[in-house]
């Protein structure tokens, strides 16, 4: 006997009278192994599972190497998922505030002015819309202010002193983190008040002064020494700080406005954007007249334009690109439009004349190739010049740093640092706008926090490190089964009230009920994982298709079992892989199977499809183009058949309503069988055994498990569609007089079609339940006329669902080894 070939033996009992039903599966119970650092809890394994023997359960503990998408994209690094989970479960606002302030000491500020990239990346977007994170954060921050909450001072005070240059969000965050560690911190601020841009630039209608004051006073209350009206480089030298302090953190910000770079911009009625905003915050407003032009498309330009509208001026923004390229936060642009600010796109100034009433000469622009910013570059259109009159022109085309006293740290226009804020000079660190250019407040906070860790490590003679985290992203994964809960939006002050009360805050807070509702929308990304729980009656077994393993987007799930029956009528004579990987495709007969990616060049296209093809049960809603369906049908048309009879006909289903009707009917039919199969009592048992004896292939427990799965899925709130919500299904009908075995002929035809579909990027799944119901169920047979089923093509043999996979499913999996007998 050759190796790998085994005859029937005592261990393989083939008697068809043994085990009429429920065969003894040798490898029960099944289970799965989940790598907690790879699994993101997306649940696609459940949706792909034909047996629904896996369900999502709460993790005992979250992975320490992953972050929910919201936290991963939060520049401040705030554990958003954690404080939302706490609030949803009934924790206090104070507890939530403590979580936020581990990384961000000013949530009442960021809840108002941060453009919240956390929401842009929120996985809830795949269900019904992102969480309203910034308004929840604002509510928690406001609560802390209202309740007078304070930071807990460190238990131990250290002797080392650290200097902070600049009291903006980056400098104050670094000071906050270092003070909590126990360091002696001194902040040097050139102005008379702390806060930087928070205090001197952002308008009160966006960020009330009392909010900034409260947040900063709480930080200073940790014992931080403030040196106001002290400019490093003017009143004290950087070298002096190096000598007195163990480390220095430079957070100068970008307090100067960039020049327009056009002729005549030095005119008196041409104002830098930051200077204009600062004059308002210092209650020293300049007269701007009736007609105001603002140049630029960033946040400073929008702030200046909205502020000018509140002064009664007619305001027009001139921007050289289109709305899509504006760097300003989109909601602020929208608010400006509501308030009457006009925007003229694709135009740029090149000359200012200030004789009497000012005039700016502009040129129309076209968009060219992308520049270094990644945006299309504006290209002047010859002969398109035009003039615009103004009383005041506000230039807001960018910001710059004033490097006086810090020239030795400069890279190009900004201070050069590494990811931890370390500069080229030992013991000097930098961060915020002074290193990266104008950015978000949350970015400045994040830079200050990272620098504090680096400073602490430097003082202790250690190396600063940050854990490498992976994002828990559900992007492009199907989430449509999750219950819909519309996003709650905060109200806004009416436009007429805004313009009448210039400092009134525009964005209003969420109500307590709205907050509670919004917290419940959090998906808790990464807090669940799949577990093999089995199904009632059948226990912890399944058909061992390994689809759960194949579909996992991160390769986190392992299913090491095979459906193995050694005795009775359902016994198969297989060899089974003895170690992991042994059952993978091995067409080149290598000593050990190699990953297909390593041998692809040696395989034909047909082989690649054969070894990779997996059933698809999760489809995109996109329709399959008619010409693509035709290519699949054509592959079936050219399939070989017995006697060249070509004994088949195709019914193409794309009518969603009809498919839904059919699904309901088929499910009712299947439900009768599951009740019979799983029923108790002598009559049901006798009937089941009779059916199992008469038609054993129809009572195999594997299709019975799959039937039950359709009726009682582990996700969603209703039975599954027998078409798996595919946009297309093809019914293969056999001719009444099909030569030889119709099932074999139809199978060959269907395989041709399946291979063609997968080579075209489609996914498919064989669905025998529909064809069975169409043949056996009188109620489902009523669809025959609508499906064009009539003699002689009156034998529905199988159904193929088809569509574009919502998740990549094609991937090789391990298989059993059917025995081979060589007659040589």
């Amino acid at each position: 006997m050759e190796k790998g070939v085994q005859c029937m033996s005592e261990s393989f009992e083939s008697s068809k009278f043994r085990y009429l039903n429920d065969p003894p599966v040798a490898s029960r119970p099944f289970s799965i192994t989940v790598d907690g650092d790879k699994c993101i809890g997306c649940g696609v394994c459940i949706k792909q599972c034909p047996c629904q023997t896996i369900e999502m359960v709460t993790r005992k503990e979250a992975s320490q190497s992953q972050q929910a998408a919201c936290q991963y994209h939060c520049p401040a690094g705030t554990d958003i998922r954690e404080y939302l989970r706490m609030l949803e479960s009934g924790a206090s606002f104070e507890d939530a505030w403590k979580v936020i302030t581990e990384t961000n000491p000013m949530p009442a500020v960021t809840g108002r002015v941060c453009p919240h990239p956390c929401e842009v990346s929120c996985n809830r977007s795949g269900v019904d819309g992102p969480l309203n994170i910034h308004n929840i954060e604002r509510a928690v921050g406001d609560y802390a202010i209202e309740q007078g909450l304070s930071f807990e001072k460190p238990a131990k005070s250290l002797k080392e002193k650290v200097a902070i240059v600049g009291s903006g969000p980056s400098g104050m965050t670094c000071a906050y983190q270092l003070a909590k560690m126990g360091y002696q911190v001194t902040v040097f601020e050139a102005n008379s008040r702390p806060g930087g841009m928070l205090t001197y630039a952002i308008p009160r209608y966006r960020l009330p002064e009392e909010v900034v004051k409260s947040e900063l006073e709480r930080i200073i209350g940790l014992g931080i020494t403030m040196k106001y009206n002290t400019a490093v480089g003017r009143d004290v030298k950087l070298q002096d700080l190096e000598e007195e302090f163990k480390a220095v953190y430079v957070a100068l910000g970008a307090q100067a406005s960039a020049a327009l770079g056009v002729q005549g911009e030095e005119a008196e009625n041409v104002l830098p954007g930051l200077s204009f905003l600062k004059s308002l915050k210092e209650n020293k407003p300049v007269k701007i007249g009736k007609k105001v032009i603002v140049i630029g498309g960033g946040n400073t330009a929008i702030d200046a334009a909205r502020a000018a509208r509140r002064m009664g001026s007619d305001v027009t923004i001139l921007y050289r690109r289109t709305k899509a390229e504006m760097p300003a936060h989109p909601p602020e642009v929208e608010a400006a439009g509501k308030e009457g600010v006009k925007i003229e796109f694709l135009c740029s100034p090149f000359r200012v004349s200030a004789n009497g009433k000012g005039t700016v000469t502009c040129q129309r622009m076209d968009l060219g190739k992308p520049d270094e910013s990644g945006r299309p570059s504006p290209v002047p259109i010859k002969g398109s010049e035009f003039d615009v009159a103004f009383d005041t022109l506000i230039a807001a085309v960018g910001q710059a740093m004033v490097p006086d006293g810090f020239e030795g740290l400069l890279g190009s226009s900004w201070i050069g640092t590494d990811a931890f804020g370390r500069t080229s000079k030992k013991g000097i660190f930098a961060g915020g706008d002074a290193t990266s250019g104008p950015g978000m407040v949350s970015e400045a906070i994040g830079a200050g926090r990272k620098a504090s860790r680096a400073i602490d490590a430097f003082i202790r003679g250690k190396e600063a490190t940050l854990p490498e985290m992976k994002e828990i992203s559900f992007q492009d994964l199907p989430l449509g089964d999750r219950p819909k809960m519309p996003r709650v939006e905060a109200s806004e002050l009416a436009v007429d009230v805004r313009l009448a009360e210039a400092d009134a805050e525009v964005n209003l807070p969420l109500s307590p009920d709205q907050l509670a509702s919004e917290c419940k929308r959090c998906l808790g990304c990464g807090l669940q994982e799949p577990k093999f729980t089995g199904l009632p009656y059948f226990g912890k077994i399944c058909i061992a298709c390994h689809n759960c393993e194949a579909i996992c987007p991160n390769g986190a799930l392992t299913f090491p079992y095979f459906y193995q029956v050694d005795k009775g009528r359902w016994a198969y004579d297989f060899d089974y892989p003895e170690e992991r990987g042994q059952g993978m495709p091995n067409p080149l007969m290598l000593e050990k199977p190699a990953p297909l990616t390593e041998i692809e060049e040696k395989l034909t296209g047909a082989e690649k499809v054969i070894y990779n093809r997996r059933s698809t049960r999760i489809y995109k809603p996109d329709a399959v183009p008619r010409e693509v369906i035709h290519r699949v049908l054509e592959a079936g048309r050219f399939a070989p058949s017995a006697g060249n009879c070509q004994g088949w006909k195709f019914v193409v289903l794309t009518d969603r309503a009809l498919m839904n009707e059919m699904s309901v009917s088929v499910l009712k039919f299947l439900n009768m069988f599951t009740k019979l199969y799983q029923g108790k009592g002598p009559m049901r048992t006798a009937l089941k055994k009779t059916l199992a004896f008469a038609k054993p292939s129809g009572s195999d427990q594997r299709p019975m498990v799959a039937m039950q799965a359709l009726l009682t899925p582990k996700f969603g709130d209703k039975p599954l569609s027998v078409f798996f919500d595919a946009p297309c299904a093809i019914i293969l009908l056999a001719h009444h007089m099909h030569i030889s075995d119709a099932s074999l002929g139809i199978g060959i035809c269907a395989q041709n079609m399946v291979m063609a579909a997968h080579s075209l990027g489609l996914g498919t799944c064989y669905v025998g339940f529909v064809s069975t119901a169409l043949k056996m169920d009188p109620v489902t047979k009523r669809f025959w006329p609508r499906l064009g089923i009539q003699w002689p093509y009156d034998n529905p043999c199988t159904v193929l669902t088809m569509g574009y996979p919502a998740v990549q499913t094609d991937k090789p999996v391990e298989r059993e080894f059917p025995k081979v007998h060589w007659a040589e």
Side-chain angles (χ1 to χ4, degrees):
M1 190 185 301
E2 293 182 23
K3 182 179 179 181
V5 180
Q6 179 181 333
C7 294
M8 297 292 185
S9 66
E10 293 181 3
S11 64
F12 182 76
E13 301 179 33
S14 58
S15 170
K16 71 176 184 177
F17 299 106
R18 289 180 61 84
Y19 306 108
L20 288 180
N21 49 272
D22 299 342
V25 182
S27 52
R28 79 165 71 207
F30 292 164
S31 65
I32 56 175
T33 301
V34 178
D35 185 332
D37 288 333
K38 290 182 178 180
C39 176
I40 59 175
C42 62
V44 295
C45 51
I46 300 175
K47 296 168 188 173
Q48 177 71 354
C49 176
C51 300
Q52 292 297 288
T53 48
I54 303 173
E55 63 180 303
M56 298 303 290
V57 298
T58 302
R59 286 190 179 199
K60 293 180 179 178
E61 59 180 42
S63 169
Q64 298 303 303
S65 63
Q66 297 178 336
Q67 287 180 338
C70 51
Q71 180 179 7
Y72 187 85
H73 288 277
C74 173
T78 302
D79 192 347
I80 298 164
R81 179 187 67 188
E82 175 61 13
Y83 79 76
L84 289 180
R85 184 195 63 79
M86 291 170 63
L87 289 172
E88 194 275 332
S89 61
S92 68
F93 272 34
E94 182 173 355
D95 290 335
W97 176 77
K98 288 178 180 178
V99 171
I100 296 173
T101 54
E102 286 178 10
T103 54
N104 173 12
M106 45 189 82
V109 169
T110 52
R112 287 171 164 84
V113 301
C114 181
H116 34 274
C118 54
E119 293 186 19
V120 175
S121 59
C122 176
N123 287 324
R124 182 87 202 185
S125 299
V127 181
D128 48 22
L131 282 161
N132 197 334
I133 297 170
H134 73 288
N135 266 308
I136 299 173
E137 182 181 61
R138 167 185 168 170
V140 173
D142 286 351
Y143 173 86
I145 292 174
E146 293 164 5
Q147 299 299 315
L149 300 184
S150 60
F151 296 125
E152 186 176 341
K153 293 185 178 181
K156 184 180 178 181
S157 184
L158 304 174
K159 64 178 181 179
E160 289 86 357
K161 298 193 300 180
V162 180
I164 309 291
V165 182
S167 67
S170 188
M172 294 306 289
T173 298
C174 187
Y176 161 75
Q177 297 288 359
L178 290 169
K180 286 204 304 177
M181 296 176 199
Y183 289 104
Q184 308 302 305
V185 181
T186 300
V187 177
F188 294 85
E189 170 54 53
N191 290 302
S192 59
R193 291 184 294 161
M197 290 290 186
L198 305 180
T199 299
Y200 289 102
I202 300 178
R204 298 182 183 97
Y205 64 80
R206 287 182 59 203
L207 182 60
E209 283 184 351
E210 58 270 20
V211 170
V212 178
K213 181 181 178 183
S214 297
E215 297 279 55
L216 295 177
E217 284 181 349
R218 185 190 293 120
I219 295 172
I220 296 169
L222 282 169
I224 296 167
T225 301
M226 302 297 297
K227 298 281 188 179
Y228 297 116
N229 299 310
T230 305
V232 177
R234 181 193 68 193
D235 303 308
V236 61
K237 294 181 180 179
L238 179 60
Q239 184 179 348
D240 297 334
L241 299 186
E242 291 181 77
E243 293 173 358
E244 183 180 352
F245 296 90
K246 199 73 175 178
V248 179
Y249 180 62
V250 180
L252 297 172
Q255 300 280 356
S257 292
L260 277 175
V262 303
Q263 178 185 341
E265 67 174 297
E266 66 280 354
E268 289 186 1
N269 57 347
V270 177
L271 305 177
L274 291 177
S275 298
F276 170 65
L277 292 172
K278 187 175 181 181
S279 71
L280 299 179
K281 293 301 291 283
E282 291 182 325
N283 297 315
K284 300 174 182 177
V286 296
K287 293 183 179 180
I288 56 175
K290 196 66 181 172
K291 178 71 174 177
V292 173
I293 297 296
V294 178
I295 309 294
N299 289 317
T300 300
I302 296 297
D303 284 348
R306 295 179 69 189
R309 275 293 295 136
R310 283 160 171 74
M311 297 172 74
S313 300
D314 179 85
V315 183
T316 301
I317 293 175
L318 304 181
Y319 181 55
R320 59 182 182 164
R321 294 184 175 93
T322 70
K323 186 176 182 179
E325 289 79 42
M326 290 185 83
H329 189 32
E332 298 300 318
V333 178
E334 184 181 344
K338 290 179 181 178
E339 292 165 7
V341 174
K342 297 180 285 292
I343 305 179
E344 186 83 25
F345 295 106
L346 291 170
C347 63
S348 181
F350 67 88
R351 183 174 60 247
V352 175
S353 303
N355 297 325
K357 193 173 182 71
T359 301
V360 56
T361 302
C362 302
Q363 197 169 20
R364 297 291 179 189
M365 295 282 152
D366 206 349
L367 294 180
K369 295 180 179 179
D371 60 16
E372 61 276 5
S373 71
R375 296 174 295 170
S377 56
V379 180
I381 299 174
K382 291 183 179 180
S384 63
E385 296 82 2
F386 65 99
D387 292 337
V388 180
F390 64 84
D391 293 312
T392 297
L393 186 146
I394 299 173
V397 294
Q399 292 167 229
M401 185 189 77
V402 180
D404 299 350
F406 300 90
E407 291 84 356
L409 303 178
L410 289 179
S412 52
S413 302
W414 311 98
I415 297 175
T417 68
D418 65 7
F420 283 96
R422 291 175 289 218
T423 70
S424 56
K425 294 191 71 174
K426 186 176 180 180
I428 298 183
F429 302 77
D433 291 357
T435 63
S436 59
M440 295 181 283
V441 171
S442 54
E443 288 175 326
I445 289 171
R449 184 171 70 90
K450 288 179 184 177
S452 71
R453 297 182 66 159
I455 291 170
D456 175 55
F458 168 74
I459 292 173
R460 293 187 295 110
K462 305 288 185 180
E463 186 67 26
T465 59
L466 281 175
E468 190 171 325
M469 306 300 287
K470 289 175 285 188
E471 178 187 2
I472 299 173
S473 174
F474 294 168
Q475 187 175 2
D476 299 327
L477 297 177
L479 301 173
D481 60 290
R482 310 290 178 107
K484 301 290 190 294
M485 296 177 65
R487 172 183 164 111
V488 175
E489 297 290 357
S491 300
E492 295 181 342
L493 210 60
V495 171
D496 57 342
V497 178
R498 302 181 204 177
L499 299 180
E501 301 175 20
D503 291 340
E505 188 170 11
V506 171
N507 296 311
L508 305 178
L510 294 175
S511 70
D513 287 344
Q514 288 176 317
L515 281 167
S517 173
E518 196 62 16
C519 289
K520 291 177 182 177
R521 298 181 66 239
C522 179
L523 297 176
C525 304
L527 295 179
Q528 290 190 315
E529 65 181 359
K531 182 179 180 181
F532 198 100
T533 55
L535 278 176
Y537 183 83
F538 299 98
K540 290 188 176 183
I541 62 166
C542 65
I543 65 174
C545 64
H546 293 249
N547 275 356
C548 54
E549 188 173 21
I551 200 171
C552 179
N554 294 327
L557 189 151
T558 302
F559 181 84
Y561 299 96
F562 298 91
Y563 191 90
Q564 184 175 348
V565 180
D566 296 328
K567 300 177 181 180
R569 54 174 43 195
W570 280 283
Y572 283 80
D573 195 16
F574 288 141
D575 284 333
Y576 294 91
E578 295 180 355
E579 59 183 58
R580 185 79 178 152
Q582 192 182 45
M584 284 294 186
N586 191 10
L588 304 182
M589 299 302 292
L590 303 174
E591 185 177 346
K592 287 186 177 181
L596 284 188
T597 52
E598 295 182 9
I599 60 172
E600 272 185 330
E601 294 181 356
K602 298 181 180 179
L603 300 181
T604 65
E607 286 177 300
K608 293 175 188 176
V609 174
I610 289 170
Y611 299 133
N612 279 295
R613 186 261 171 193
R614 308 301 308 143
S615 294
T616 298
R617 292 178 178 82
I618 317 173
Y619 295 95
K620 292 180 179 178
D622 312 46
V624 180
R626 194 180 185 92
E627 59 270 22
V628 176
I629 297 175
H630 174 76
R631 291 179 68 172
V632 174
L633 294 172
E634 197 72 351
R637 189 165 73 93
F638 278 82
S641 60
N644 196 32
C645 71
Q646 300 286 305
W648 47 69
K649 179 180 178 180
F650 309 117
V651 177
V652 180
L653 258 176
T654 58
D655 184 336
R656 176 71 69 187
L658 176 56
M659 293 167 80
N660 289 341
E661 278 187 68
M662 290 179 64
S663 180
V664 171
S665 180
V666 172
L667 287 172
K668 288 180 179 178
F669 174 69
L670 297 179
N671 192 37
M672 292 190 298
F673 281 91
T674 59
K675 286 182 177 179
L676 170 63
Y677 193 91
Q678 300 174 42
K680 296 179 180 179
M683 291 296 292
R684 286 193 180 186
T685 301
L687 180 58
K688 181 169 66 171
K689 289 188 175 183
T690 301
L691 289 172
F693 183 79
K695 191 173 176 57
S697 62
S699 54
D700 189 308
Q701 71 175 5
R702 285 171 288 186
M704 290 298 173
V705 169
M707 285 185 198
Q708 186 62 51
L710 287 169
L711 295 162
T712 56
K714 298 286 180 65
F715 66 96
D717 56 2
K718 59 184 179 181
L720 300 180
S721 165
V722 294
F723 298 105
F724 306 113
D725 293 320
C728 174
I730 301 175
I731 305 174
L732 280 73
L733 306 174
H735 191 281
H736 189 73
M737 297 299 291
H738 190 292
I739 296 174
S740 188
D741 190 330
S743 295
L744 175 61
I746 290 292
I748 295 171
C749 174
Q751 182 67 0
N752 262 29
M753 295 168 69
V754 164
M755 290 183 65
H758 284 256
S759 68
L760 292 167
L762 296 168
T764 62
C765 186
Y766 287 100
V767 184
F769 298 140
V770 177
S771 54
T772 300
L774 283 170
K775 285 189 285 192
M776 298 177 60
D777 179 26
V779 177
T780 306
K781 278 188 173 183
R782 63 188 170 89
F783 293 103
W784 277 31
R786 295 168 70 181
L787 298 172
I789 300 176
Q790 57 184 357
W791 188 90
Y793 294 95
D794 56 357
N795 181 10
C797 282
T798 194
V799 175
L800 291 177
T801 60
M802 190 168 71
Y804 293 101
V807 183
Q808 178 62 40
T809 53
D810 282 357
K811 181 181 177 182
V813 299
E814 298 203 55
R815 284 296 200 188
E816 307 89 339
F817 296 101
K819 296 292 179 63
V820 179
H821 177 76
W822 296 85
E824 296 181 307

